Amino acid sequence: MTRATRRLKKRRKILKRKLNIRANCKPNNESQAIFSPKVKKYWLQRYSLFSRYDEGIKMDEEGWFSVTPEEIAVRHAQRSVSGGVVVDCFAGVGGNSIQFAALGYHVVAIDIDPKKVEMALNNTKIYGVDNYIDFIVGDFLQLAPSLKGNVAFLSPPWGGPSYKMAENFTLNLLKPVDGHTLFQAAQTITPNIMMFLPRNVDVCQVEELSWLSSPPLNVEIEENYVRGNLKGITAYFGKTAFWGVAQETSSAHIREG
């Protein structure tokens, strides 16, 4: 047997061992998630949902397509009224609550699903902001009359990925009840309300929500993009509307003075 033949046989043995090791490895949860038809698209965008995803972020299937992309959640936090308490009415797995807390707000995070609250608590610990958040397992509509805060953040369920099929997404398609009822519940907490809604929402209906208050609330509609793709629309009401514009104007006056 020549030296070259012995080397070839050795290489074959090594290759066989490697193949056997790979064959015996069981796929972890991540690889299973990749091949889940409903989750695959969102898994590929995982770092736009949570930049610290690899540190142990937890989400259920609904969480994958309902959590606010981190870049947009940061924007929401920046647009909150300075200081005070933010009530995250549909906290889910905690994407928005984390960013509100990261700016020093005290957050009351509500979700009716105890498993989501458990995941959200885990995720807030990864970002080091769990001490700024009080989690409540409960129905927002029932809890709202007993809550007070400086800002109410509404990101209600859109009905899953099928929301995209609607040419004109009307507020009655929101879950668990229509958008008008949700908005009125939020008004019992504060007039400073933010709503994160589908990109195909009926904007005229959203603007009409401001007339549910007397006098009518200020309202601002903002399109939210991630990497050039429109992901949703945020409606700002009360003091959250044009808040950034007011801050810039105030700063300009100070500089001029």
Side-chain angles (χ1 to χ4, degrees), residues 40-58:
K40 181 178 179 180
K41 171 185 174 182
Y42 302 96
W43 188 87
L44 294 172
Q45 302 173 30
R46 59 195 180 281
Y47 299 114
S48 69
L49 303 179
F50 287 100
S51 60
R52 300 177 70 172
Y53 177 81
D54 288 340
E55 297 178 39
I57 292 295
K58 293 183 179 180

Side-chain angles (χ1 to χ4, degrees), residues 26-256:
K26 294 181 179 179
N28 58 25
N29 291 335
E30 293 303 326
S31 60
Q32 290 174 356
I34 292 174
F35 296 105
S36 171
K38 289 185 178 180
V39 169
K40 181 178 179 180
K41 171 185 174 182
Y42 302 96
W43 188 87
L44 294 172
Q45 302 173 30
R46 59 195 180 281
Y47 299 114
S48 69
L49 303 179
F50 287 100
S51 60
R52 300 177 70 172
Y53 177 81
D54 288 340
E55 297 178 39
I57 292 295
K58 293 183 179 180
M59 287 188 280
D60 58 3
E61 186 171 281
E62 184 181 2
W64 277 103
F65 54 75
S66 63
V67 68
T68 305
E70 188 168 280
E71 184 178 330
I72 299 175
V74 169
R75 173 66 173 169
H76 291 155
Q78 293 170 341
R79 289 295 305 270
S80 297
V81 177
S82 182
V85 177
V86 177
V87 180
D88 190 351
C89 306
F90 296 90
V93 295
N96 278 99
S97 292
I98 287 170
Q99 300 307 326
F100 287 127
L103 288 188
Y105 297 112
H106 179 78
V107 183
V108 178
I110 303 166
D111 203 278
I112 200 168
D113 184 350
K115 291 183 179 179
K116 280 190 175 59
V117 170
E118 187 177 332
M119 293 175 187
L121 178 58
N122 169 80
N123 298 341
T124 59
K125 287 180 178 178
I126 289 171
Y127 280 79
V129 296
D130 51 301
N131 289 335
Y132 291 88
I133 304 173
D134 289 326
F135 287 99
I136 300 176
V137 177
D139 185 338
F140 161 67
L141 293 170
Q142 294 182 4
L143 293 169
S146 63
L147 298 171
K148 291 298 176 186
N150 297 87
V151 174
F153 179 75
L154 288 168
S155 182
W158 300 350
S162 61
Y163 80 88
K164 300 173 186 176
M165 304 300 292
E167 184 176 344
N168 189 44
F169 189 97
T170 55
L171 293 179
N172 65 298
L173 295 176
L174 292 173
K175 308 294 180 185
V177 293
D178 67 275
H180 294 84
T181 302
L182 291 172
F183 189 84
Q184 288 177 315
Q187 281 186 296
T188 65
I189 300 172
T190 175
N192 305 316
I193 299 167
M194 295 190 293
M195 294 184 77
F196 185 49
L197 299 164
R199 60 196 179 197
N200 54 340
V201 73
D202 187 324
V203 175
C204 291
Q205 280 193 346
V206 177
E207 292 176 342
E208 288 171 359
L209 292 174
S210 65
W211 292 88
L212 294 176
S213 179
S214 181
L217 298 170
N218 289 333
V219 58
E220 177 190 358
I221 305 295
E222 177 182 76
E223 292 182 334
N224 301 117
Y225 291 82
V226 175
R227 297 176 184 173
N229 298 313
L230 181 60
K231 294 294 185 179
I233 288 175
T234 304
Y236 301 95
F237 297 89
K239 291 182 180 179
T240 66
F242 307 108
W243 186 81
V245 175
Q247 290 295 106
E248 291 172 6
T249 303
S250 176
S251 299
H253 288 165
I254 292 172
R255 287 195 297 270
E256 288 174 3

Side-chain angles (χ1 to χ4, degrees), residues 1-18:
M1 182 182 295
T2 65
R3 185 178 300 177
T5 304
R6 285 197 297 268
R7 282 202 301 266
L8 182 60
K9 282 192 172 183
K10 189 175 181 180
R11 283 179 60 190
R12 283 177 179 170
K13 286 181 181 178
I14 293 171
L15 179 61
K16 188 175 181 181
R17 284 181 60 194
K18 287 182 178 179

